[in-house]
Amino acid sequence: MNRKRSSVWNHFSIKSNTIAKCGYCPQEVSYSGGSTGNLIRHLKTKHIGVHLNRQLREQRDNFVLAQENEDDPIAVTPSNAENAKNIDDVPSSSNVKNQPTLLNYISSVATQRTATVSSASSMPVVSTVTSLSSQTSMSSYIIASKPISISKSKAIDQQITRFIVKHFHPFSLVEQVEFRKLIKMLVPNYTVPTRKTVANSLLMQMYESVYQKVKLDVQNVSAVSITTDAWTSTNNQSFMSVTVHFINSDTQLCSRLLGCFSFTERHTSDELSKFLLSVVNDWGLENMVAAAVTDNAANIKSAIKNNGWRHISCFAHVLNIAVQKGLESVHPIIAKVKGIVEYFKRSTLAQKSSTTNGMRTT
């Protein structure tokens, strides 16, 4: 079993590879995928006073032990023993109503300590009050801010994932210091997920959600058309995408990307035909393709015809070919103009000289 480094494991015991049991209540919480987000949310929601760092808990215990010291004029007597017992009850309970009991106890101890020291010594009362008031961690431990709800936390998780996906940000965004500071300012009680959580959990959840939504959108259509294209990336990897277009029940034209796939086979008409047919069949659209729009490459046109679909040439591709053909007659002029522009773009001295001469002419 992997070593658990997070401080949250100080408050949970491991039941299995995916389930942990809370140390303060009988509830069992899932931590599948190695994420401790659910465990942290459980503590913040159900056990408000519990801090991941045990430092505050140790300070609280030291405060109680100080009352039992034999040199302390105020000990835990039977009259306040019940209140002292409540100190251990409050942090592990989600019932905020128990907090005044502990606060009253601390206040009463402070009052008794001040009175005793004042009568037993000529030391100013201010010094005693100052010594007691230095333990500000007790009040910060008890009076915790209201935790963020699980539903809102999940909504923020989804929005951050959507922001990363739609704007092509790296997963490391969630671990950048300034981004975390921004989120802390906006939602102080929200725990930003780690890069591992985004990649292994949140992204997969969003993919499954979008997949089910698209599957539901294309489930009741009577006919569709598809567009497809292939390209090679800068690192020499071949990809192919397939997009479906249809009119929904509200007579609105809809477009859905069925997938962008790594295509490692040879780009022959037979291989392209098999690939397109398998994608359409996976979505249950095998008998609904009315037309397919592609470029004018011979292999893809043959693949479309092999599947029995109507082929329509891409208008933008045809227009580009027509423009390129029309520019062939002025190609020498274009080459000269391109050479002049490249010279001034590449030479800082030439660019500065042209700017200076232009200013003089003006």
Side-chain angles (χ1 to χ4, degrees):
M1 183 177 296
N2 295 333
R3 183 179 179 185
K4 307 299 184 183
R5 299 180 181 273
S6 174
S7 59
V8 75
W9 292 108
N10 295 329
H11 311 279
F12 287 88
S13 59
I14 300 176
K15 300 288 291 185
S16 67
N17 291 334
T18 58
I19 300 297
K21 184 180 182 301
C22 178
Y24 303 101
C25 69
Q27 186 169 346
E28 296 181 351
V29 185
S30 170
Y31 67 98
S32 59
S35 171
T36 58
N38 288 341
L39 307 182
I40 296 174
R41 293 189 190 98
H42 174 79
L43 290 178
K44 288 191 173 185
T45 304
K46 300 298 183 181
H47 311 293
I48 299 176
V50 172
H51 289 259
L52 295 182
N53 192 334
R54 283 189 168 180
Q55 182 180 1
L56 294 175
R57 187 180 182 90
E58 293 173 357
Q59 291 178 356
R60 181 206 61 184
D61 295 339
N62 293 337
F63 179 80
V64 176
L65 291 176
Q67 311 307 311
E68 299 175 351
N69 192 290
E70 60 183 0
D71 296 331
D72 197 326
I74 305 253
V76 179
T77 61
S79 61
N80 58 26
E82 185 63 28
N83 288 335
K85 182 180 178 181
N86 288 336
I87 293 179
D88 288 329
D89 295 337
V90 174
S92 62
S93 172
S94 60
N95 187 1
V96 185
K97 294 181 179 179
N98 290 334
Q99 293 183 8
T101 303
L102 179 57
L103 294 178
N104 292 338
Y105 167 72
I106 296 174
S107 178
S108 63
V109 170
T111 303
Q112 296 177 36
R113 176 183 292 273
T114 302
T116 303
V117 174
S118 298
S119 60
S121 174
S122 59
M123 182 183 297
V125 178
V126 177
S127 61
T128 305
V129 175
T130 304
S131 175
L132 186 62
S133 63
S134 64
Q135 301 190 29
T136 55
S137 59
M138 288 297 299
S139 59
S140 63
Y141 182 83
I142 300 300
I143 309 176
S145 57
K146 184 179 179 181
I148 186 173
S149 64
I150 295 179
S151 59
K152 185 175 182 180
S153 179
K154 288 184 177 180
I156 299 176
D157 287 345
Q158 293 174 1
Q159 184 58 41
I160 291 178
T161 307
R162 191 177 294 109
F163 172 73
I164 292 175
V165 171
K166 286 195 172 184
H167 297 280
F168 308 103
H169 290 292
F171 295 149
S172 59
L173 173 70
V174 297
E175 295 182 348
Q176 294 177 5
V177 176
E178 297 303 325
F179 178 80
R180 285 181 168 267
K181 286 182 179 179
L182 174 63
I183 298 298
K184 193 69 176 177
M185 291 174 63
L186 299 176
V187 193
N189 295 326
Y190 172 70
T191 302
V192 180
T194 63
R195 174 169 54 182
K196 183 178 178 181
T197 301
V198 173
N200 297 340
S201 179
L202 297 178
L203 185 62
M204 294 298 102
Q205 293 175 12
M206 177 163 288
Y207 171 82
E208 186 63 26
S209 175
V210 173
Y211 176 82
Q212 295 298 332
K213 184 179 183 302
V214 174
K215 195 171 184 179
L216 183 63
D217 290 341
V218 301
Q219 188 174 12
N220 299 320
V221 297
S222 56
V224 299
S225 63
I226 65 171
T227 55
T228 182
D229 195 13
W231 68 94
T232 303
S233 65
T234 55
N235 57 354
N236 205 30
Q237 284 185 303
S238 179
F239 293 92
M240 192 167 187
S241 64
V242 180
T243 306
V244 64
H245 313 271
F246 58 92
I247 297 177
N248 62 12
S249 57
D250 297 328
T251 65
Q252 294 178 339
L253 178 62
C254 303
S255 299
R256 300 290 184 268
L257 177 66
L258 298 185
C260 180
F261 309 92
S262 176
F263 191 75
T264 57
E265 305 294 336
R266 297 185 61 187
H267 288 201
T268 63
S269 58
D270 291 337
E271 293 296 339
L272 292 173
S273 175
K274 292 178 183 178
F275 171 76
L276 293 174
L277 193 60
S278 65
V279 172
V280 170
N281 290 341
D282 289 342
W283 290 88
L285 303 173
E286 56 272 12
N287 298 322
M288 301 180 186
V289 180
V293 180
T294 69
D295 57 26
N296 291 319
N299 56 349
I300 190 64
K301 290 173 65 176
S302 179
I304 297 300
K305 292 179 180 179
N306 290 343
N307 289 339
W309 302 333
R310 178 188 176 189
H311 179 265
I312 299 177
S313 298
C314 175
F315 176 77
H317 187 262
V318 173
L319 180 62
N320 180 65
I321 294 175
V323 172
Q324 294 296 332
K325 287 289 184 180
L327 292 177
E328 288 180 356
S329 59
V330 293
H331 180 73
I333 300 176
I334 294 176
K336 291 180 180 179
V337 173
K338 182 178 180 182
I340 295 173
V341 172
E342 288 180 348
Y343 171 74
F344 286 100
K345 285 291 185 181
R346 294 175 181 176
S347 175
T348 305
L349 183 61
Q351 188 177 22
K352 182 179 180 181
S353 175
S354 65
T355 304
T356 305
N357 292 336
M359 290 177 65
R360 287 176 179 174
T361 302
T362 303

